[in-house]
Amino acid sequence: MDKKTVLICDDSLLIRKKLREALDSFNFEAFYEAANGVAAVEQTKKYKPSLVFLDIVMPEIDGIEALKEIKAINPDTKVIMVSSVGTSGKLKEALKYGAYDFIQKPIQIDTLVTIVERALKEG
């Protein structure tokens, strides 16, 4: 990834804050936040983030629909799905539409770090 930028999309302000704190050590050039899928798609169009954390269950449009639109805007964007309702069906659907990986809430920092390091390494 040339420019390391990240978009964190979750309808919970607390989750967005915790993710941002956990990601601070990666020295991203910019952080963007969105509270729903519509905002995530708009932020992706505007800022072209290299990495997106996307909650599955959100108002407006859900994470799966937002994932489809984000990948249509930029197929190279690495999208990591985040959800507390991580059913295998939703996981398979997200992977089918191009999700890079999946993190279950409550988020384990070591899992998050491992996934982000791999995503950044792969570029």
Side-chain angles (χ1 to χ4, degrees), residues 68-113:
K68 292 178 192 175
E69 292 187 39
I70 288 168
K71 293 304 274 187
I73 294 164
N74 184 359
D76 295 330
T77 301
K78 298 244 188 310
V79 180
I80 298 168
M81 305 305 289
V82 182
S83 185
S84 54
V85 292
T87 64
S88 59
K90 287 286 186 193
L91 172 58
K92 287 177 185 168
E93 190 176 3
L95 293 172
K96 177 176 126 182
Y97 291 114
Y100 178 74
D101 213 326
F102 190 90
I103 295 176
Q104 187 77 33
K105 292 178 190 174
I107 297 166
Q108 302 297 316
I109 300 301
D110 56 338
T111 302
L112 174 75
V113 167

Side-chain angles (χ1 to χ4, degrees), residues 7-26:
L7 168 62
I8 300 169
C9 180
D10 197 295
D11 53 330
S12 165
L13 178 60
L14 181 61
I15 296 291
R16 293 196 311 268
K17 184 177 184 278
K18 286 186 179 212
L19 271 169
R20 186 174 181 147
E21 287 170 359
L23 294 168
D24 270 345
S25 65
F26 287 98

